[in-house]
Structure formats: structure tokens, C-alpha cells
Amino acid sequence: MKTLLADDHPLMREGVRQVLSQLEPPVEIIDAHDYPSLFAQTALHADLDLAVVDLNMPGFVGMQGISQFRARFPDVPLVVLSASESSHDIRSVLEAGALGYIPKAASSATMLAALRQVLAGDVYVPACPPSTREDGPRGVASTDFDALQHSGLTARQLEVARLLAQGCANKAIAGRLAMSESTVKVHIAAIFRALSVTNRTEAVLAIQRLTQGS
């Protein structure tokens, strides 16, 4: 398996290398240290199985680099690493076409599980931290959820939808709303039906479009 690892911090690359070495089958790792070298290496290696890319590197600012990468190499599976745990950044990265978003604060075990999940064909969305807050003008405010009232969701399902849109995993939602994970799954299934979607990523994007009026 061939993986491109892009990060401008050598120590971070070494740490992620250690995680990648635990994947099966054995991984051939190609390094990049900024967006120009990321683009050059990706162009050289047409058979990449995965690209693990730092969100903020020299060459582009934030989402500009990720958007450029997806535009140039739409067929390369992409996982984004970032020091940010902002729900806005997570949504933006997934909307751009990434298959996963891994906070750099995640443990090596969490990172390994996330990469395996992506390689198995799923999308990895991190659990939201206990201190998650809306982060700026693009955050989803409570009043924005009026747009979902007409979708047929119950008040409880709207609460689940709000946390789902923030990138919260089922366990985090269950903890926030004092319900079991099985109950969360029932509510999420109802949300999927109401929004005519089939997975979490589609649901998050649908909620974002509705609540932001796009």
C-alpha cells in the first residue's frame, strides 16, 4: 500500500509514520513538507492508495490547499490532519471531499482506527470535545434550525441533528443528551430518512445547506 504523508513538522511526520507502520498490508510512505511538494509527489505517484495531509502547510492557507488538492487529484483518497477541532473546519474538509478528519490531539490508537475505517471505505468524523462551541459566523446557531422544523423531525431529533452537524460521534451525542447510543442510532436513522440521505457525511452537508439557507 502506498501512502503520501504531508506535514511541515518533521516530528509530526515521524509520529504519523509510526502509526502508518501498523497498518496491513505494509505501507510504503512518501513524504511531503508543504503544498508544492505534496502536489509534485502526488503527480509522480499515480498509484497512491491514500494521502494523509496537514490542513495548514506552507503554500496555501487552510482550506485553499485542500480544495486545490481535490481539484487536481480527485481520485486520491484523502485524510486531513489538523491541530484545529473547529466544527467549521471539519465540515469544510468533508464538504471538499476528504474521507476523514483527524485532530492532531488524537491518540495514536484513535488515528490508527480512523485510518483503518477510511481504508475500509467509510468516512471518519471525530468525536466533538466536551467544550465544543459554535465558532464564528458560519457556526450553526439555534435559530438556524428553524429551517429543519418542516422536515418532520421531533424536538429530540433536532437536538441530535445539531450535534451531528458539529461533528459529534454517537457516543458524544449520547453523553450530551443523556440517552443510550442505541437511541441515538434510532434518531440518526430518522434524520437520514427525513433528509433523504444515506450516511453521516451526507446528513451533515444537508443540515449545513438547510441551516445556512444555501
Side-chain angles (χ1 to χ4, degrees), residues 186-199:
V186 170
H187 286 319
I188 288 177
I191 292 168
F192 286 1
R193 290 193 298 271
L195 299 179
S196 299
V197 300
T198 59
N199 58 53

Side-chain angles (χ1 to χ4, degrees), residues 12 16 34-35 50 59 77-78 85-86 90 124 133 136 160 166 178 182 187 193-194 197 210:
M12 187 66 195
V16 178
D34 56 19
Y35 276 107
L50 184 68
L78 172 66
E85 295 186 40
S86 157
I90 295 170
Y124 177 76
R133 296 184 298 272
V160 173
Q166 292 176 8
S182 59
H187 286 319
R193 290 193 298 271
V197 300
L210 288 169

Side-chain angles (χ1 to χ4, degrees), residues 119-188:
L119 290 169
D122 202 354
V123 173
Y124 177 76
V125 181
C128 54
S131 60
T132 293
R133 296 184 298 272
E134 297 309 331
D135 32 37
R138 290 201 57 186
V140 179
S142 297
T143 54
D144 294 332
F145 272 73
D146 291 343
L148 290 179
Q149 297 282 357
H150 305 295
S151 63
L153 298 178
T154 66
R156 200 60 163 163
Q157 288 161 0
L158 288 172
E159 292 179 325
V160 173
R162 184 180 293 108
L163 293 176
L164 183 67
Q166 292 176 8
C168 295
N170 289 0
K171 184 175 182 179
I173 295 173
R176 299 284 189 84
L177 300 181
M179 61 176 64
S180 68
E181 287 190 56
S182 59
T183 301
V184 171
K185 290 178 181 178
V186 170
H187 286 319
I188 288 177

Side-chain angles (χ1 to χ4, degrees), residues 8 11 19 26 34 49 57 63-64 81 84 88 90 94 106 111 115 117 156 179 195 201-203:
D8 58 328
L11 285 176
V19 175
D34 56 19
D49 296 290
M57 293 189 297
M63 280 302 303
Q64 293 178 354
L81 294 173
S84 168
H88 164 56
I90 295 170
L94 295 175
M111 184 176 293
L115 292 171
Q117 186 171 323
R156 200 60 163 163
M179 61 176 64
L195 299 179
T201 302
E202 291 178 358

Side-chain angles (χ1 to χ4, degrees), residues 42 45-51 69-78 97 99:
T42 306
H45 299 275
D47 56 344
L48 285 175
D49 296 290
L50 184 68
F69 183 85
R70 298 311 299 152
R72 298 187 192 190
F73 310 104
D75 297 328
V76 177
L78 172 66
L99 299 179

